[in-house]
Amino acid sequence: MPLRLEPAPSFKDLFTLNGRTIAGMFLDSGDAGIAEICAGAGLDYLLIDAEHGPVNLAAILAQLRAIASYPVVPVVRVPTNDPVIIKQVLDLGAQSLIVPMVNTAEEARQAVAATRYAPAGVRGVGGVLVRSARWNRVPDYLARANALVSLLVQIESAEAVENAAEIAGTDGIDGVFIGPSDLAATMGLLGQQDHPEVVASVVRTIAAVKRAGKIIGVNAFVEAQARQYIAAGADFVNVGADVALIARGTEALVATYIGERHTSSAAPASY
């Protein structure tokens, strides 16, 4: 007889298993080997980035498989709020999604619908065809699928900050992820994620989402900013990226063993 399989925990389950702020990082290289190395580091989640990384469906699948044997939750940031792409990523077996550039409650509702089977939404039914159901080896998958998905939307514009409470309050949204880089740009402060006005907008958004009773997190590679947002109530913090760690690490090696002749002493202006 075939095995009967149970899905692994999704992102929202992390907050019932831990009594602390959750920490994770971006996977932007698209490389399954790097994903597996990072999976063994002890982080709570790994965020496969199909918005900014060179990541197609095959690369998402390879990284999901590489991570699967480790006690870390994979999350996929899809490139856009598109029901076809969201359906495909879910069918690959991703249970936790972040949808970027959500500015209004209506856009949040569209994201929810894309993750739900009818009549609750518009997700196409694959069943026996797809990895998410383990090719019909997950008992009652179709009846359970809507509840298995963790859906977060990304607030990363001045408009979205103003709509944060309504976005977070949308039925079916499990949480919000704040993107300070794009937020800074929409405020006319490109590359200035640490500007006091940007930080204030992030803190205000954290408070609004918390009042709505939803999970709230933020991208913050600089430790001082991460600590500030944790103190403000952030439930999770995205604290790095594979490509950034490799870039800064190799630069440190050059600075140590070759010297300033080949390196700049200036820190990157933005992360």
Side-chain angles (χ1 to χ4, degrees):
M1 293 181 62
L3 294 174
R4 311 310 289 170
L5 304 174
E6 283 298 311
S10 70
F11 188 77
K12 60 190 173 188
D13 298 317
L14 287 173
F15 300 89
T16 62
L17 299 172
N18 298 280
R20 56 172 173 78
T21 305
I22 301 304
M25 63 176 281
F26 275 127
L27 297 176
D28 274 277
S29 68
D31 185 86
I34 290 177
E36 184 171 10
I37 292 168
C38 294
L43 290 163
D44 296 301
Y45 70 88
L46 294 174
L47 179 44
I48 299 168
D49 188 7
E51 183 189 18
H52 289 296
V55 179
N56 57 21
L57 293 173
I60 293 172
L61 178 59
Q63 290 175 87
L64 289 173
R65 286 174 168 163
I67 294 168
S69 60
Y70 294 85
V72 59
V73 172
V75 183
V76 178
R77 180 163 70 174
V78 295
T80 187
N81 192 1
D82 182 296
V84 174
I85 294 172
I86 290 171
K87 171 185 64 178
Q88 291 176 310
V89 172
L90 289 172
D91 284 352
L92 292 178
Q95 292 173 229
S96 307
L97 301 185
I98 291 180
V99 176
M101 297 289 183
V102 170
N103 296 308
T104 66
E106 176 56 32
E107 291 174 0
R109 286 189 285 271
Q110 291 169 7
V112 172
T115 68
R116 303 294 197 259
Y117 289 131
V122 298
R123 179 184 174 187
V125 180
V128 71
L129 306 176
V130 295
R131 182 175 181 266
S132 58
R134 294 306 188 269
W135 306 278
N136 258 3
R137 291 172 180 157
V138 174
D140 301 318
Y141 175 77
L142 293 179
R144 301 163 60 196
N146 292 352
L148 293 173
V149 172
S150 291
L151 176 62
L152 290 86
V153 294
Q154 192 154 347
I155 285 179
E156 47 188 333
S157 71
E159 178 188 9
V161 168
E162 296 304 316
N163 295 327
E166 191 177 0
I167 291 170
T170 302
D171 188 35
I173 296 297
D174 295 299
V176 167
F177 181 49
I178 306 171
S181 296
D182 280 292
L183 174 57
T186 68
M187 295 173 67
L189 298 165
L190 180 64
Q192 300 180 62
Q193 297 95 316
D194 59 349
H195 191 283
E197 292 180 21
V198 177
V199 173
S201 291
V202 172
V203 171
R204 182 155 59 95
T205 303
I206 291 172
V209 175
K210 297 283 280 188
R211 285 194 297 270
K214 300 297 178 71
I215 299 163
I216 178 70
V218 60
N219 198 55
F221 291 3
V222 176
E223 184 180 356
Q225 278 194 325
R227 298 290 183 191
Q228 182 176 5
Y229 294 144
I230 290 169
D235 299 299
F236 69 97
V237 183
N238 205 62
V239 294
D242 55 354
V243 291
L245 291 171
I246 292 169
R248 303 292 85 78
T250 51
E251 289 162 5
L253 289 175
V254 171
T256 299
Y257 294 104
I258 298 177
E260 296 299 326
R261 183 166 59 92
H262 294 287
T263 62
S264 169
S265 59
S270 178
Y271 61 78

